[in-house]
Amino acid sequence: MHRKIYKTCRNLLTSKRNVVILTFMVLWVLRFLPGKKTEVGEMKVAEKKETKRIPIANTLSVVVVEYEDFDNRLPATIRRSKAADMPAYVVADELPYPPVKLPEGTKVITTHRSPGEVHWTFEDVIRTSHVAIIPDGCYPSRVESLTYMSQLGEETEDVKAIAAPCSLNNKTKKLSMCQGLSVDLRKWALTYFDSNDFCDSLTIPVVLVISSKDLFSLPYPFTRPVQDAIFIQFALRKWKIGVFEEGHFVTDATLYKDPHIHWKHKFKQIDRLKAMYKLFGIKLVQSADGREQYYGCTRQSARCFGTVVNETPDFLTRGKWTPPCCLKGLRTTGKYVFNILQSQGVRFWLEGGSLLGAARNGDIIPWDYDIDIGIYKEDIPKSVHLTQCRKGTFVDDEGFVWDKSQESEGDFFRVQYSETNHLHVDIFPFYSKNGIMTKDTWMKSHKQDTEFPEHYLKPLTTIDFIGMPVSAPNNWKQFLEYKFGKNVIDKPEYPNKSFEFP
Ligand code: ZN
């Protein structure tokens, strides 16, 4: 019996026309499989029993991802946006609670998986060729708008989604809502910018129509906030968004109207945004107006990376550079230490990688994780901080931690950003011996930690670093080549070559 069916199928597959007929037959048969008719929330187990489904051409599903349990218009949003035969889905971590009576035929896809269920993918469940992602409480004035949107943008290759604004009055102008977006995962950064000619992201809630093929090729098709998550994933692929201004989607003015509910919704969205940034590895967001918002470590938290092994912090092995919050914390600590030593008359100079970064672009090397300076050992008594530090670790009035290294690690001081955040400035005391600056102990993990002629310090000069002029050896270019080798300034090199980017 099975053999016979197989043979028939094989014969059918021999012509193109037959494949089309076969596809429709399979789809027709699938209608009667139990998966299709099971109750809300349970369908995912049954659905999986069916084989990989082919999207039905020119069809559209309505999907609502962005809504709140405590105040929503789910039934109206679905009823008003879908034509009679359109499938509709609500995608959520868990079933809406309190329960919502959804229009007939609507399925809830819950993404929190039970360990007992059979593995499934969104493509197994959503079978239409296009998906319209609609924010809760956003209603089309004309139901054809969605179908029309699914037919736009096919001509332009890099336009992979059509967006229509949800607004109270339909007066939003395209230019004011369209923004360019560049994503640099290596630098953990999103940068928004004004853009007149194309659209990477939109600043207001929109309905998004995307082909299922493109949407489900994204690793996070429905991660919330869904709009921002999709824009980031699109920008990484250089995919653009077409804007359909005549979409006429109107926002339900009664949604989140109560001030308490409005506030609750706002905070939930901020939490979701932070969670999404964490998942995507975003720690710095630069707005189009130049404002910077940092995510990641703060002075009150631990720094973003653990103990550094073999001069290679964990982020480098993951193809990333120093997190922006860490560079910011390092700059703060550096400025603080420089100002203190300067005010106390301690002669110091930028050392190693810090001087190299200053020489290259006036800042910390993008993948460096600390700041190194040298000081004259004989100046230590001039500093109350260093003197007190010699007796034991202490936290100063500004919350910085002054620490004297253990003898085994060599003779140096370390100033930490805070008790919890261990970003730090290392201070190496040198003394002059027959015109050579030397030390009694050397740090194995700092290869550039070597003796050098004292004439580089006579006199000291300054170099721009982390936004201020900082004391440095004279002839710093020659000094760097003396320590690191020829052409070191022009040839950036990773501490560990095997992690170099292409
Ligand atoms: Zn950090």
Side-chain angles (χ1 to χ4, degrees):
M1 172 67 179
H2 279 105
R3 184 171 283 266
K4 200 173 170 188
I5 291 173
Y6 170 71
K7 222 175 169 184
T8 317
C9 289
R10 217 177 44 174
N11 289 341
L12 275 168
L13 280 167
T14 48
S15 98
K16 246 187 187 168
R17 201 184 51 131
N18 284 345
V19 173
V20 176
I21 293 169
L22 186 68
T23 308
F24 278 101
M25 278 172 61
V26 168
L27 292 172
W28 184 75
V29 169
L30 287 176
R31 287 169 56 99
F32 299 99
L33 288 179
K36 192 88 198 283
K37 294 247 162 113
T38 47
E39 286 305 302
V40 159
E42 291 171 11
M43 36 62 82
K44 58 202 175 193
V45 177
E47 290 283 349
K48 187 59 194 176
K49 288 178 189 150
E50 300 160 27
T51 49
K52 189 109 182 163
R53 291 161 145 184
I54 306 141
I56 306 161
N58 301 319
T59 54
L60 186 72
S61 293
V62 167
V63 178
V64 183
V65 187
E66 218 56 70
Y67 75 94
E68 299 290 359
D69 276 347
F70 50 84
D71 186 25
N72 64 69
R73 303 289 179 275
L74 285 173
T77 306
I78 291 162
R79 199 177 51 244
R80 293 173 67 164
S81 43
K82 84 185 199 81
D85 55 345
M86 271 184 198
Y89 303 89
V90 172
V91 177
D93 294 345
E94 302 285 1
L95 288 172
Y97 183 84
V100 181
K101 186 147 176 44
L102 296 168
E104 205 180 333
T106 308
K107 288 175 178 174
V108 180
I109 304 176
T110 54
T111 53
H112 272 184
R113 313 209 174 193
S114 147
E117 74 187 77
V118 176
H119 175 75
W120 56 273
T121 68
F122 288 115
E123 285 155 291
D124 296 331
V125 186
I126 301 174
R127 303 166 49 209
T128 51
S129 64
H130 287 76
V131 173
I133 301 173
I134 302 183
D136 187 29
C138 177
Y139 313 131
S141 338
R142 291 193 294 260
V143 79
E144 323 72 88
S145 290
L146 287 175
T147 313
Y148 182 70
M149 283 167 73
S150 69
Q151 285 150 13
L152 289 170
E154 312 268 297
E155 315 90 64
T156 340
E157 214 176 284
D158 52 356
V159 172
K160 299 280 193 180
I162 301 294
C166 296
S167 55
L168 285 171
N169 50 22
N170 266 320
K171 284 203 179 112
T172 325
K173 281 271 157 289
K174 183 184 171 182
L175 289 184
S176 62
M177 62 190 183
C178 223
Q179 282 191 330
L181 167 63
S182 71
V183 187
D184 190 338
L185 292 181
R186 202 172 53 175
K187 290 185 177 175
W188 314 76
L190 297 184
T191 308
Y192 290 93
F193 51 92
D194 293 326
S195 167
N196 295 333
D197 48 348
F198 60 83
C199 214
D200 294 321
S201 77
L202 290 104
T203 54
I204 57 161
V206 291
V207 169
L208 276 173
V209 176
I210 310 175
S211 87
S212 308
K213 183 177 142 274
D214 293 333
L215 179 65
F216 297 135
S217 75
L218 305 178
Y220 303 103
F222 295 129
T223 293
R224 294 179 71 177
V226 72
Q227 217 170 285
D228 305 77
I230 286 177
F231 296 155
I232 292 169
Q233 294 173 90
F234 266 45
L236 285 166
R237 290 160 178 77
K238 308 261 179 279
W239 291 357
K240 303 292 175 195
I241 295 150
V243 179
F244 179 50
E245 284 164 275
E246 296 76 35
H248 299 303
F249 289 86
V250 181
T251 308
D252 187 325
T254 67
L255 189 62
Y256 315 135
K257 195 151 187 260
D258 174 271
H260 173 72
I261 286 185
H262 179 82
W263 176 87
K264 197 170 163 187
H265 164 65
K266 266 241 139 70
F267 276 77
K268 286 251 175 199
Q269 278 302 75
I270 290 168
D271 284 349
R272 290 180 191 119
L273 189 72
K274 283 183 181 167
M276 187 262 283
Y277 285 160
K278 192 160 192 216
L279 184 68
F280 287 11
I282 304 296
K283 293 183 194 284
L284 173 62
V285 178
Q286 288 175 297
S287 313
D289 62 9
R291 271 180 305 126
E292 292 188 333
Q293 179 73 50
Y294 285 84
Y295 299 86
C297 67
T298 65
R299 201 173 181 197
Q300 288 74 42
S301 75
R303 68 177 183 193
C304 292
F305 53 94
T307 307
V308 176
V309 181
N310 293 332
E311 284 186 79
T312 310
D314 58 10
F315 53 79
L316 269 190
T317 70
R318 290 165 198 157
K320 295 206 158 206
W321 290 357
T322 311
C325 47
C326 294
L327 290 173
K328 190 176 168 229
L330 269 179
R331 288 186 198 108
T332 306
T333 313
K335 278 179 195 163
Y336 179 73
V337 172
F338 300 154
N339 284 328
I340 283 195
L341 295 181
Q342 207 160 331
S343 70
Q344 293 170 337
V346 176
R347 287 165 295 170
F348 70 94
W349 59 93
L350 284 175
E351 266 288 341
S354 300
L355 182 61
L356 192 54
R360 280 187 189 144
N361 56 357
D363 202 355
I364 298 160
I365 294 175
W367 49 88
D368 207 354
Y369 49 87
D370 67 357
I371 291 177
D372 292 335
I373 61 171
I375 57 165
Y376 272 96
K377 194 173 185 178
E378 66 200 68
D379 287 357
I380 291 172
K382 291 183 186 173
S383 166
V384 285
H385 292 78
L386 296 178
T387 312
Q388 190 177 341
C389 189
R390 269 188 155 167
K391 295 176 205 144
T393 302
F394 76 99
V395 183
D396 71 15
D397 295 343
E398 303 290 325
F400 292 88
V401 181
W402 294 73
D403 187 24
K404 172 82 170 63
S405 72
Q406 298 302 310
E407 236 17 81
S408 60
E409 287 178 32
D411 180 32
F412 69 100
F413 300 93
R414 177 166 283 182
V415 186
Q416 273 179 202
Y417 191 22
S418 72
E419 284 181 280
T420 51
N421 194 321
H422 293 189
L423 293 165
H424 59 258
V425 175
D426 282 335
I427 304 172
F428 300 100
F430 285 82
Y431 59 88
S432 175
K433 193 177 172 187
N434 307 322
I436 297 291
M437 295 304 289
T438 188
K439 295 193 296 166
D440 294 330
T441 54
W442 301 95
M443 234 183 146
K444 275 194 203 113
S445 65
H446 289 59
K447 280 190 209 106
Q448 70 283 359
D449 187 20
T450 56
E451 294 183 332
F452 61 92
E454 192 183 7
H455 66 74
Y456 286 114
L457 308 179
K458 294 199 156 176
L460 284 164
T461 183
T462 61
I463 188 169
D464 283 333
F465 184 60
I466 59 173
M468 66 186 279
V470 180
S471 180
N474 64 64
N475 265 311
W476 42 261
K477 194 175 173 190
Q478 207 182 59
F479 177 86
L480 282 168
E481 295 197 330
Y482 177 89
K483 287 221 167 188
F484 289 99
K486 267 246 164 287
N487 298 324
V488 65
I489 297 171
D490 305 319
K491 280 190 185 160
E493 225 176 68
Y494 279 91
N496 185 334
K497 284 219 107 186
S498 61
F499 299 117
E500 200 151 4
F501 296 99

